[in-house]
Amino acid sequence: MGEFTPEQQRAFCQFVTGAPKLPPGGLAVLNPKLTIVRKLSSTAAHTTSNGNGPSETADDDLPSVMTCANYLKLPPYSTKEIMYKKLMYAINEGQGSFDLS
């Protein structure tokens, strides 16, 4: 988040918490605390162990959140650039939608 613009920071807060800004005191006083966990690839169940299955990786998946718990599920992306791109896409395209994940 340190590399985000102020506008991107607000969008991230909205994406993860459902609120456009953090409470006074920032992330340190967020309740419940922000939790980031590894999201398993949606294609992992379809890939065979011998490598003959689909070639999709976690790089094809988007992050997801549970705003009621301030819970970010982040796939294990292969690069920081892919993580940034996928996170920005999810934040921008997910505004105003509600899906169970």
Side-chain angles (χ1 to χ4, degrees), residues 3-33:
E3 297 177 16
F4 287 3
T5 66
E7 183 178 316
Q8 290 171 326
Q9 289 176 357
R10 282 189 294 280
F12 177 83
C13 288
Q14 181 76 44
F15 179 67
V16 175
T17 68
K21 58 184 177 178
L22 293 172
L27 287 172
V29 298
L30 193 61
N31 188 19
K33 296 285 186 197

PDB file of all heavy atoms in Angstrom, residues 3-33:
ATOM      1  N   GLU A   3       3.090   2.074  -1.930  1.00  0.00           N
ATOM      2  CA  GLU A   3       3.345   2.541  -3.289  1.00  0.00           C
ATOM      3  C   GLU A   3       2.077   3.038  -3.981  1.00  0.00           C
ATOM      4  O   GLU A   3       2.141   3.519  -5.103  1.00  0.00           O
ATOM      5  CB  GLU A   3       3.982   1.426  -4.106  1.00  0.00           C
ATOM      6  CG  GLU A   3       5.345   1.005  -3.582  1.00  0.00           C
ATOM      7  CD  GLU A   3       5.946  -0.149  -4.339  1.00  0.00           C
ATOM      8  OE1 GLU A   3       5.474  -0.455  -5.453  1.00  0.00           O
ATOM      9  OE2 GLU A   3       6.892  -0.755  -3.820  1.00  0.00           O
ATOM     10  N   PHE A   4       0.933   2.911  -3.327  1.00  0.00           N
ATOM     11  CA  PHE A   4      -0.333   3.357  -3.904  1.00  0.00           C
ATOM     12  C   PHE A   4      -0.461   4.869  -3.824  1.00  0.00           C
ATOM     13  O   PHE A   4       0.034   5.492  -2.882  1.00  0.00           O
ATOM     14  CB  PHE A   4      -1.519   2.747  -3.155  1.00  0.00           C
ATOM     15  CG  PHE A   4      -1.767   1.282  -3.401  1.00  0.00           C
ATOM     16  CD1 PHE A   4      -0.947   0.515  -4.208  1.00  0.00           C
ATOM     17  CD2 PHE A   4      -2.840   0.662  -2.809  1.00  0.00           C
ATOM     18  CE1 PHE A   4      -1.195  -0.823  -4.416  1.00  0.00           C
ATOM     19  CE2 PHE A   4      -3.110  -0.674  -3.016  1.00  0.00           C
ATOM     20  CZ  PHE A   4      -2.274  -1.425  -3.829  1.00  0.00           C
ATOM     21  N   THR A   5      -1.173   5.444  -4.777  1.00  0.00           N
ATOM     22  CA  THR A   5      -1.538   6.859  -4.695  1.00  0.00           C
ATOM     23  C   THR A   5      -2.614   6.992  -3.619  1.00  0.00           C
ATOM     24  O   THR A   5      -3.242   5.991  -3.227  1.00  0.00           O
ATOM     25  CB  THR A   5      -2.102   7.360  -6.037  1.00  0.00           C
ATOM     26  OG1 THR A   5      -3.348   6.690  -6.288  1.00  0.00           O
ATOM     27  CG2 THR A   5      -1.127   7.138  -7.179  1.00  0.00           C
ATOM     28  N   PRO A   6      -2.882   8.201  -3.120  1.00  0.00           N
ATOM     29  CA  PRO A   6      -3.966   8.362  -2.142  1.00  0.00           C
ATOM     30  C   PRO A   6      -5.305   7.834  -2.672  1.00  0.00           C
ATOM     31  O   PRO A   6      -6.071   7.222  -1.919  1.00  0.00           O
ATOM     32  CB  PRO A   6      -4.007   9.873  -1.910  1.00  0.00           C
ATOM     33  CG  PRO A   6      -2.592  10.304  -2.128  1.00  0.00           C
ATOM     34  CD  PRO A   6      -2.112   9.442  -3.281  1.00  0.00           C
ATOM     35  N   GLU A   7      -5.583   8.035  -3.946  1.00  0.00           N
ATOM     36  CA  GLU A   7      -6.832   7.525  -4.528  1.00  0.00           C
ATOM     37  C   GLU A   7      -6.864   5.992  -4.520  1.00  0.00           C
ATOM     38  O   GLU A   7      -7.888   5.387  -4.200  1.00  0.00           O
ATOM     39  CB  GLU A   7      -6.990   8.040  -5.959  1.00  0.00           C
ATOM     40  CG  GLU A   7      -8.289   7.619  -6.612  1.00  0.00           C
ATOM     41  CD  GLU A   7      -8.434   8.187  -8.014  1.00  0.00           C
ATOM     42  OE1 GLU A   7      -8.134   9.374  -8.211  1.00  0.00           O
ATOM     43  OE2 GLU A   7      -8.852   7.419  -8.898  1.00  0.00           O
ATOM     44  N   GLN A   8      -5.739   5.366  -4.833  1.00  0.00           N
ATOM     45  CA  GLN A   8      -5.661   3.907  -4.805  1.00  0.00           C
ATOM     46  C   GLN A   8      -5.781   3.377  -3.381  1.00  0.00           C
ATOM     47  O   GLN A   8      -6.376   2.328  -3.150  1.00  0.00           O
ATOM     48  CB  GLN A   8      -4.353   3.427  -5.437  1.00  0.00           C
ATOM     49  CG  GLN A   8      -4.285   3.628  -6.929  1.00  0.00           C
ATOM     50  CD  GLN A   8      -2.904   3.351  -7.487  1.00  0.00           C
ATOM     51  OE1 GLN A   8      -1.887   3.606  -6.839  1.00  0.00           O
ATOM     52  NE2 GLN A   8      -2.862   2.835  -8.709  1.00  0.00           N
ATOM     53  N   GLN A   9      -5.226   4.107  -2.413  1.00  0.00           N
ATOM     54  CA  GLN A   9      -5.338   3.704  -1.013  1.00  0.00           C
ATOM     55  C   GLN A   9      -6.792   3.721  -0.559  1.00  0.00           C
ATOM     56  O   GLN A   9      -7.256   2.805   0.126  1.00  0.00           O
ATOM     57  CB  GLN A   9      -4.478   4.605  -0.118  1.00  0.00           C
ATOM     58  CG  GLN A   9      -2.999   4.378  -0.291  1.00  0.00           C
ATOM     59  CD  GLN A   9      -2.157   5.339   0.521  1.00  0.00           C
ATOM     60  OE1 GLN A   9      -2.652   6.241   1.201  1.00  0.00           O
ATOM     61  NE2 GLN A   9      -0.835   5.170   0.441  1.00  0.00           N
ATOM     62  N   ARG A  10      -7.531   4.769  -0.958  1.00  0.00           N
ATOM     63  CA  ARG A  10      -8.957   4.843  -0.602  1.00  0.00           C
ATOM     64  C   ARG A  10      -9.727   3.697  -1.257  1.00  0.00           C
ATOM     65  O   ARG A  10     -10.579   3.068  -0.619  1.00  0.00           O
ATOM     66  CB  ARG A  10      -9.549   6.186  -1.013  1.00  0.00           C
ATOM     67  CG  ARG A  10      -9.210   7.320  -0.085  1.00  0.00           C
ATOM     68  CD  ARG A  10     -10.003   8.592  -0.406  1.00  0.00           C
ATOM     69  NE  ARG A  10      -9.657   9.177  -1.695  1.00  0.00           N
ATOM     70  CZ  ARG A  10      -8.590   9.934  -1.923  1.00  0.00           C
ATOM     71  NH1 ARG A  10      -7.768  10.208  -0.916  1.00  0.00           N
ATOM     72  NH2 ARG A  10      -8.348  10.429  -3.116  1.00  0.00           N
ATOM     73  N   ALA A  11      -9.419   3.413  -2.508  1.00  0.00           N
ATOM     74  CA  ALA A  11     -10.095   2.321  -3.215  1.00  0.00           C
ATOM     75  C   ALA A  11      -9.770   0.977  -2.571  1.00  0.00           C
ATOM     76  O   ALA A  11     -10.645   0.118  -2.443  1.00  0.00           O
ATOM     77  CB  ALA A  11      -9.703   2.326  -4.692  1.00  0.00           C
ATOM     78  N   PHE A  12      -8.525   0.786  -2.128  1.00  0.00           N
ATOM     79  CA  PHE A  12      -8.141  -0.446  -1.440  1.00  0.00           C
ATOM     80  C   PHE A  12      -8.922  -0.593  -0.138  1.00  0.00           C
ATOM     81  O   PHE A  12      -9.444  -1.672   0.161  1.00  0.00           O
ATOM     82  CB  PHE A  12      -6.635  -0.459  -1.161  1.00  0.00           C
ATOM     83  CG  PHE A  12      -6.177  -1.656  -0.384  1.00  0.00           C
ATOM     84  CD1 PHE A  12      -5.919  -2.862  -1.021  1.00  0.00           C
ATOM     85  CD2 PHE A  12      -5.999  -1.583   0.993  1.00  0.00           C
ATOM     86  CE1 PHE A  12      -5.502  -3.975  -0.301  1.00  0.00           C
ATOM     87  CE2 PHE A  12      -5.583  -2.689   1.719  1.00  0.00           C
ATOM     88  CZ  PHE A  12      -5.334  -3.891   1.069  1.00  0.00           C
ATOM     89  N   CYS A  13      -9.004   0.488   0.631  1.00  0.00           N
ATOM     90  CA  CYS A  13      -9.772   0.453   1.893  1.00  0.00           C
ATOM     91  C   CYS A  13     -11.225   0.100   1.627  1.00  0.00           C
ATOM     92  O   CYS A  13     -11.810  -0.712   2.343  1.00  0.00           O
ATOM     93  CB  CYS A  13      -9.677   1.787   2.614  1.00  0.00           C
ATOM     94  SG  CYS A  13      -8.072   2.103   3.333  1.00  0.00           S
ATOM     95  N   GLN A  14     -11.809   0.691   0.596  1.00  0.00           N
ATOM     96  CA  GLN A  14     -13.197   0.394   0.234  1.00  0.00           C
ATOM     97  C   GLN A  14     -13.342  -1.070  -0.150  1.00  0.00           C
ATOM     98  O   GLN A  14     -14.290  -1.741   0.247  1.00  0.00           O
ATOM     99  CB  GLN A  14     -13.640   1.293  -0.925  1.00  0.00           C
ATOM    100  CG  GLN A  14     -15.067   1.079  -1.372  1.00  0.00           C
ATOM    101  CD  GLN A  14     -16.078   1.696  -0.428  1.00  0.00           C
ATOM    102  OE1 GLN A  14     -15.901   2.818   0.010  1.00  0.00           O
ATOM    103  NE2 GLN A  14     -17.123   0.967  -0.115  1.00  0.00           N
ATOM    104  N   PHE A  15     -12.397  -1.583  -0.916  1.00  0.00           N
ATOM    105  CA  PHE A  15     -12.421  -2.971  -1.380  1.00  0.00           C
ATOM    106  C   PHE A  15     -12.336  -3.954  -0.221  1.00  0.00           C
ATOM    107  O   PHE A  15     -13.094  -4.911  -0.142  1.00  0.00           O
ATOM    108  CB  PHE A  15     -11.258  -3.188  -2.355  1.00  0.00           C
ATOM    109  CG  PHE A  15     -11.137  -4.580  -2.914  1.00  0.00           C
ATOM    110  CD1 PHE A  15     -12.103  -5.095  -3.760  1.00  0.00           C
ATOM    111  CD2 PHE A  15     -10.035  -5.360  -2.622  1.00  0.00           C
ATOM    112  CE1 PHE A  15     -11.982  -6.375  -4.299  1.00  0.00           C
ATOM    113  CE2 PHE A  15      -9.893  -6.631  -3.156  1.00  0.00           C
ATOM    114  CZ  PHE A  15     -10.876  -7.138  -3.993  1.00  0.00           C
ATOM    115  N   VAL A  16     -11.419  -3.703   0.717  1.00  0.00           N
ATOM    116  CA  VAL A  16     -11.166  -4.660   1.800  1.00  0.00           C
ATOM    117  C   VAL A  16     -12.134  -4.507   2.967  1.00  0.00           C
ATOM    118  O   VAL A  16     -12.572  -5.493   3.550  1.00  0.00           O
ATOM    119  CB  VAL A  16      -9.709  -4.547   2.293  1.00  0.00           C
ATOM    120  CG1 VAL A  16      -9.460  -5.441   3.493  1.00  0.00           C
ATOM    121  CG2 VAL A  16      -8.744  -4.900   1.180  1.00  0.00           C
ATOM    122  N   THR A  17     -12.487  -3.259   3.311  1.00  0.00           N
ATOM    123  CA  THR A  17     -13.296  -3.044   4.513  1.00  0.00           C
ATOM    124  C   THR A  17     -14.744  -2.673   4.230  1.00  0.00           C
ATOM    125  O   THR A  17     -15.584  -2.754   5.111  1.00  0.00           O
ATOM    126  CB  THR A  17     -12.695  -1.905   5.375  1.00  0.00           C
ATOM    127  OG1 THR A  17     -12.846  -0.663   4.682  1.00  0.00           O
ATOM    128  CG2 THR A  17     -11.237  -2.163   5.696  1.00  0.00           C
ATOM    129  N   GLY A  18     -15.012  -2.219   3.020  1.00  0.00           N
ATOM    130  CA  GLY A  18     -16.348  -1.732   2.695  1.00  0.00           C
ATOM    131  C   GLY A  18     -16.540  -0.277   3.074  1.00  0.00           C
ATOM    132  O   GLY A  18     -17.587   0.298   2.832  1.00  0.00           O
ATOM    133  N   ALA A  19     -15.506   0.349   3.654  1.00  0.00           N
ATOM    134  CA  ALA A  19     -15.564   1.763   4.044  1.00  0.00           C
ATOM    135  C   ALA A  19     -14.521   2.535   3.235  1.00  0.00           C
ATOM    136  O   ALA A  19     -13.443   2.010   2.966  1.00  0.00           O
ATOM    137  CB  ALA A  19     -15.266   1.912   5.536  1.00  0.00           C
ATOM    138  N   PRO A  20     -14.815   3.780   2.858  1.00  0.00           N
ATOM    139  CA  PRO A  20     -13.897   4.532   2.007  1.00  0.00           C
ATOM    140  C   PRO A  20     -12.621   5.020   2.694  1.00  0.00           C
ATOM    141  O   PRO A  20     -11.676   5.422   2.041  1.00  0.00           O
ATOM    142  CB  PRO A  20     -14.729   5.718   1.536  1.00  0.00           C
ATOM    143  CG  PRO A  20     -15.771   5.883   2.574  1.00  0.00           C
ATOM    144  CD  PRO A  20     -16.061   4.504   3.107  1.00  0.00           C
ATOM    145  N   LYS A  21     -12.589   5.002   4.014  1.00  0.00           N
ATOM    146  CA  LYS A  21     -11.366   5.409   4.713  1.00  0.00           C
ATOM    147  C   LYS A  21     -11.230   4.635   6.009  1.00  0.00           C
ATOM    148  O   LYS A  21     -12.192   4.073   6.531  1.00  0.00           O
ATOM    149  CB  LYS A  21     -11.337   6.909   4.963  1.00  0.00           C
ATOM    150  CG  LYS A  21     -12.485   7.459   5.761  1.00  0.00           C
ATOM    151  CD  LYS A  21     -12.376   8.975   5.858  1.00  0.00           C
ATOM    152  CE  LYS A  21     -13.571   9.527   6.608  1.00  0.00           C
ATOM    153  NZ  LYS A  21     -13.469  10.979   6.768  1.00  0.00           N
ATOM    154  N   LEU A  22     -10.007   4.624   6.506  1.00  0.00           N
ATOM    155  CA  LEU A  22      -9.711   3.925   7.751  1.00  0.00           C
ATOM    156  C   LEU A  22     -10.164   4.759   8.948  1.00  0.00           C
ATOM    157  O   LEU A  22     -10.278   5.979   8.843  1.00  0.00           O
ATOM    158  CB  LEU A  22      -8.211   3.655   7.849  1.00  0.00           C
ATOM    159  CG  LEU A  22      -7.652   2.657   6.837  1.00  0.00           C
ATOM    160  CD1 LEU A  22      -6.125   2.643   6.912  1.00  0.00           C
ATOM    161  CD2 LEU A  22      -8.208   1.268   7.083  1.00  0.00           C
ATOM    162  N   PRO A  23     -10.362   4.120  10.093  1.00  0.00           N
ATOM    163  CA  PRO A  23     -10.703   4.884  11.299  1.00  0.00           C
ATOM    164  C   PRO A  23      -9.502   5.710  11.754  1.00  0.00           C
ATOM    165  O   PRO A  23      -8.369   5.445  11.351  1.00  0.00           O
ATOM    166  CB  PRO A  23     -11.043   3.792  12.322  1.00  0.00           C
ATOM    167  CG  PRO A  23     -10.320   2.588  11.854  1.00  0.00           C
ATOM    168  CD  PRO A  23     -10.282   2.681  10.355  1.00  0.00           C
ATOM    169  N   PRO A  24      -9.732   6.729  12.591  1.00  0.00           N
ATOM    170  CA  PRO A  24      -8.594   7.474  13.150  1.00  0.00           C
ATOM    171  C   PRO A  24      -7.624   6.501  13.815  1.00  0.00           C
ATOM    172  O   PRO A  24      -8.029   5.643  14.584  1.00  0.00           O
ATOM    173  CB  PRO A  24      -9.242   8.403  14.180  1.00  0.00           C
ATOM    174  CG  PRO A  24     -10.657   8.555  13.699  1.00  0.00           C
ATOM    175  CD  PRO A  24     -11.015   7.237  13.067  1.00  0.00           C
ATOM    176  N   GLY A  25      -6.374   6.575  13.456  1.00  0.00           N
ATOM    177  CA  GLY A  25      -5.378   5.632  13.964  1.00  0.00           C
ATOM    178  C   GLY A  25      -4.952   4.637  12.906  1.00  0.00           C
ATOM    179  O   GLY A  25      -3.999   3.893  13.091  1.00  0.00           O
ATOM    180  N   GLY A  26      -5.688   4.583  11.789  1.00  0.00           N
ATOM    181  CA  GLY A  26      -5.294   3.752  10.649  1.00  0.00           C
ATOM    182  C   GLY A  26      -5.445   2.260  10.846  1.00  0.00           C
ATOM    183  O   GLY A  26      -6.275   1.785  11.629  1.00  0.00           O
ATOM    184  N   LEU A  27      -4.616   1.515  10.121  1.00  0.00           N
ATOM    185  CA  LEU A  27      -4.682   0.055  10.156  1.00  0.00           C
ATOM    186  C   LEU A  27      -4.472  -0.513  11.557  1.00  0.00           C
ATOM    187  O   LEU A  27      -5.009  -1.567  11.890  1.00  0.00           O
ATOM    188  CB  LEU A  27      -3.636  -0.549   9.208  1.00  0.00           C
ATOM    189  CG  LEU A  27      -3.919  -0.448   7.719  1.00  0.00           C
ATOM    190  CD1 LEU A  27      -2.712  -0.918   6.915  1.00  0.00           C
ATOM    191  CD2 LEU A  27      -5.148  -1.235   7.346  1.00  0.00           C
ATOM    192  N   ALA A  28      -3.705   0.201  12.377  1.00  0.00           N
ATOM    193  CA  ALA A  28      -3.388  -0.290  13.719  1.00  0.00           C
ATOM    194  C   ALA A  28      -4.625  -0.454  14.590  1.00  0.00           C
ATOM    195  O   ALA A  28      -4.649  -1.302  15.481  1.00  0.00           O
ATOM    196  CB  ALA A  28      -2.392   0.634  14.396  1.00  0.00           C
ATOM    197  N   VAL A  29      -5.664   0.347  14.343  1.00  0.00           N
ATOM    198  CA  VAL A  29      -6.859   0.280  15.183  1.00  0.00           C
ATOM    199  C   VAL A  29      -8.048  -0.353  14.460  1.00  0.00           C
ATOM    200  O   VAL A  29      -9.149  -0.390  15.008  1.00  0.00           O
ATOM    201  CB  VAL A  29      -7.245   1.673  15.724  1.00  0.00           C
ATOM    202  CG1 VAL A  29      -6.135   2.238  16.601  1.00  0.00           C
ATOM    203  CG2 VAL A  29      -7.587   2.618  14.601  1.00  0.00           C
ATOM    204  N   LEU A  30      -7.825  -0.841  13.253  1.00  0.00           N
ATOM    205  CA  LEU A  30      -8.901  -1.480  12.495  1.00  0.00           C
ATOM    206  C   LEU A  30      -9.404  -2.695  13.264  1.00  0.00           C
ATOM    207  O   LEU A  30      -8.620  -3.511  13.748  1.00  0.00           O
ATOM    208  CB  LEU A  30      -8.380  -1.897  11.117  1.00  0.00           C
ATOM    209  CG  LEU A  30      -9.406  -2.291  10.080  1.00  0.00           C
ATOM    210  CD1 LEU A  30     -10.359  -1.133   9.773  1.00  0.00           C
ATOM    211  CD2 LEU A  30      -8.711  -2.733   8.801  1.00  0.00           C
ATOM    212  N   ASN A  31     -10.725  -2.803  13.398  1.00  0.00           N
ATOM    213  CA  ASN A  31     -11.312  -3.910  14.151  1.00  0.00           C
ATOM    214  C   ASN A  31     -12.475  -4.484  13.354  1.00  0.00           C
ATOM    215  O   ASN A  31     -13.431  -3.759  13.100  1.00  0.00           O
ATOM    216  CB  ASN A  31     -11.768  -3.434  15.524  1.00  0.00           C
ATOM    217  CG  ASN A  31     -12.201  -4.589  16.412  1.00  0.00           C
ATOM    218  OD1 ASN A  31     -11.850  -5.733  16.163  1.00  0.00           O
ATOM    219  ND2 ASN A  31     -12.967  -4.271  17.436  1.00  0.00           N
ATOM    220  N   PRO A  32     -12.420  -5.748  12.963  1.00  0.00           N
ATOM    221  CA  PRO A  32     -11.318  -6.687  13.178  1.00  0.00           C
ATOM    222  C   PRO A  32     -10.082  -6.305  12.377  1.00  0.00           C
ATOM    223  O   PRO A  32     -10.167  -5.578  11.399  1.00  0.00           O
ATOM    224  CB  PRO A  32     -11.878  -8.023  12.699  1.00  0.00           C
ATOM    225  CG  PRO A  32     -13.045  -7.705  11.847  1.00  0.00           C
ATOM    226  CD  PRO A  32     -13.542  -6.364  12.241  1.00  0.00           C
ATOM    227  N   LYS A  33      -8.936  -6.819  12.824  1.00  0.00           N
ATOM    228  CA  LYS A  33      -7.666  -6.520  12.170  1.00  0.00           C
ATOM    229  C   LYS A  33      -7.690  -6.992  10.723  1.00  0.00           C
ATOM    230  O   LYS A  33      -8.353  -7.981  10.392  1.00  0.00           O
ATOM    231  CB  LYS A  33      -6.506  -7.214  12.894  1.00  0.00           C
ATOM    232  CG  LYS A  33      -6.279  -6.743  14.299  1.00  0.00           C
ATOM    233  CD  LYS A  33      -5.622  -5.395  14.305  1.00  0.00           C
ATOM    234  CE  LYS A  33      -5.258  -4.981  15.713  1.00  0.00           C
ATOM    235  NZ  LYS A  33      -4.993  -3.564  15.799  1.00  0.00           N
TER     236      LYS A  33
END
